[in-house]
Amino acid sequence: MKISDKIRYVGMNDRQTVLFEHQWPVPEGVSYNSYLVVDEKIALIDTAAAAFKDEFLSNIKEEIGDRKIDYLVVNHMEPDHSALQAVIRNEYPDCTIVTNAKAVPMIEGYQGLTDNIKVIKEGESLSLGGTTLQFYMIPMVHWPETMVTWCPEEKTAFSGDAFGCFRAVPEGCLVDGFVDFKEEMTRYYASIVGKYGQTVQAALRKVSPLGIERICPTHGPVWEKDIPEVVGWYDRLSAAKLERGVTIAYGSMYGNTAKAAQAIAQELENKGITVKLHDLCEENYSYALADVFLYDTLIVGSPTYNAGIFPPVQSFMEALKARGVKNRRFAAFGSYTWAGMSVKLLNALAAEMQFESVHEGLSFAQGYSSDKFNASEIVDLLI
Ligand code: FEO
């Protein structure tokens, strides 16, 4: 597919995979984006996932026929983008791999390739004829070897995972409205890149002055029309610029903690507060994570299970911790049968993450009733 005279899309949509990275649901698919820059010399920017070998090679041939690929630029070594490097080298034996020093051992480790690798440094350029590629390191967005390839003549940033999102791309790869992809970009960011907010901020400071007019990420649409919105949204997510609103995330074994969650949500709605309710037993926790990256308050509910936190809720809390999430207003609630522990343990985890406790937590024994559980005790403190 033609992005411009010089830039061609040779990636593909994956509508078969149920769980990206074997953990994140992709009900609307995901794309593995790869690009050719076609000039006197031809550069391929990243490859694709292993399952798409034939489609990938066919897409390349469709764009360049019998011409050869001169350079394979490796921006990122995660196997959703790097799995076909050896295939490319086999098909185009003279192609030079262009990458930075940190990627070199990974290329050997994953693909067994050690020869004809050109190691470039920050800011270095590579001429393809009329067009140039320049390389800027953006370590930990989201692996240490990650870099952006910038084509100044096309004002195009090949940004790797940065500005990526879940969802298959439409024909032509361009979209009119960022709004259609916003939710899946947020969930992608929270799930995959969320731990690295500070390095994303550093990367934004580095690439913003380039005067970008086109972003070609490794997942999701090519961005042209909505660049200020896309860059602004990434800035917001990575700088944790939070909206006033409440994420309620809970797990429930027999429905009692669920009823308490619904009571809190109802109270919040009655008071006009934005509330997002997530049942961690019914949906993947990435959906709740996405809202934690948007809203300033988190309320977590769990029954006591084996004198601890119910495992689906424990996993969610550990996911927050792993991403370095902090500075949220927090309260816990939950049910128990003979010894209530979950609220105490949730509060301890929240304290580790430097959350601000807005309430000591509400728990109740056995079955839910509004007499035992007064949701407004928490809600009144949030207003
Ligand atoms: Fe899409 Fe970090 O790989």
Side-chain angles (χ1 to χ4, degrees):
M1 272 186 300
K2 196 169 175 177
I3 305 290
S4 72
D5 279 346
K6 295 277 167 45
I7 298 175
R8 314 294 168 81
Y9 179 84
V10 289
M12 68 287 297
N13 283 321
D14 177 356
R15 298 182 192 275
Q16 275 77 50
T17 293
V18 176
L19 294 175
F20 183 77
E21 292 186 348
H22 277 174
Q23 54 180 334
W24 313 118
V26 281
E28 297 173 281
V30 63
S31 68
Y32 308 114
N33 299 344
S34 172
Y35 306 90
L36 286 166
V37 184
V38 180
D39 206 321
E40 290 164 29
K41 303 270 188 188
I42 294 179
L44 174 66
I45 316 279
D46 289 316
T47 65
F52 295 89
K53 174 187 159 193
D54 293 341
E55 187 176 346
F56 186 51
L57 289 176
S58 163
N59 289 350
I60 291 170
K61 300 271 185 215
E62 203 168 300
E63 295 298 332
I64 62 171
D66 292 332
R67 287 191 66 186
K68 305 294 177 214
I69 290 173
D70 299 283
Y71 301 109
L72 166 57
V73 175
V74 176
N75 277 339
H76 182 25
M77 272 307 295
E78 193 160 10
D80 50 334
H81 313 291
S82 68
L84 298 175
Q85 291 170 352
V87 168
I88 290 296
R89 175 55 71 71
N90 189 51
E91 192 75 16
Y92 303 99
D94 297 328
C95 116
T96 299
I97 293 173
V98 178
T99 194
N100 62 81
K102 286 183 183 161
V104 173
M106 298 183 190
I107 292 171
E108 180 177 7
Y110 275 115
Q111 293 284 299
L113 300 174
T114 54
D115 65 319
N116 197 6
I117 297 177
K118 179 179 170 60
V119 177
I120 47 82
K121 294 195 175 72
E122 171 80 14
E124 205 171 320
S125 294
L126 178 72
S127 173
L128 302 179
T131 46
T132 315
L133 301 180
Q134 294 173 345
F135 308 99
Y136 296 97
M137 308 305 137
I138 54 165
M140 304 317 296
V141 186
H142 90 278
W143 279 15
E145 86 301 358
T146 322
M147 64 183 197
V148 164
T149 297
W150 167 243
C151 180
E153 294 82 4
E154 293 279 323
K155 298 202 176 307
T156 297
F158 299 95
S159 63
D161 283 346
F163 310 113
C165 61
F166 296 135
R167 275 190 82 172
V169 291
E171 183 72 24
C173 221
L174 294 167
V175 290
D176 278 336
F178 170 52
V179 68
D180 291 344
F181 284 81
K182 207 174 196 175
E183 276 186 23
E184 284 297 71
M185 180 181 276
T186 305
R187 193 167 66 87
Y188 176 89
Y189 180 89
S191 305
I192 292 170
V193 191
K195 178 177 168 61
Y196 306 109
Q198 285 186 347
T199 53
V200 170
Q201 281 287 301
L204 286 173
R205 284 194 293 275
K206 188 179 278 192
V207 300
S208 292
L210 295 174
I212 296 171
E213 291 183 5
R214 182 187 295 124
I215 298 173
C216 293
T218 48
H219 303 288
V222 170
W223 301 107
E224 285 185 355
K225 290 183 183 161
D226 302 294
I227 287 178
E229 288 79 7
V230 170
V231 173
W233 195 250
Y234 243 69
D235 178 48
R236 175 188 161 170
L237 293 171
S238 55
K241 296 173 185 170
L242 303 168
E243 265 180 57
R244 180 49 59 95
V246 180
T247 306
I248 302 175
Y250 70 95
S252 188
M253 295 168 68
Y254 298 107
N256 292 301
T257 302
K259 285 177 185 160
Q262 285 148 12
I264 297 171
Q266 190 61 58
E267 283 278 326
L268 288 165
E269 275 178 19
N270 291 347
K271 296 195 183 304
I273 298 172
T274 300
V275 57
K276 304 288 179 175
L277 186 63
H278 294 281
D279 180 345
L280 298 169
C281 299
E282 292 293 325
E283 64 175 30
N284 183 276
Y285 67 57
S286 59
Y287 293 92
L289 273 182
D291 281 330
V292 173
F293 275 78
L294 294 178
Y295 298 107
D296 68 348
T297 304
L298 173 63
I299 301 180
V300 177
S302 170
T304 294
Y305 186 87
N306 285 340
I309 299 168
F310 189 37
V313 183
Q314 178 82 34
S315 297
F316 170 69
M317 293 298 283
E318 294 297 338
L320 297 177
K321 203 168 144 189
R323 283 158 183 74
V325 173
K326 51 189 169 195
N327 301 329
R328 302 305 191 270
R329 302 195 300 167
F330 180 83
F333 64 98
S335 61
Y336 62 93
T337 299
W338 68 95
M341 287 297 294
S342 60
V343 165
K344 188 175 161 192
L345 293 169
L346 286 168
N347 281 340
L349 279 172
E352 278 181 46
M353 289 185 267
Q354 299 170 26
F355 289 173
E356 175 199 346
S357 172
V358 294
H359 189 278
E360 63 187 3
L362 280 178
S363 59
F364 58 97
Q366 296 99 37
Y368 169 87
S369 76
S370 57
D371 293 338
K372 290 186 195 172
F373 186 85
N374 182 6
S376 55
E377 270 194 45
I378 292 177
V379 173
D380 288 348
L381 296 173
L382 296 176
I383 298 167

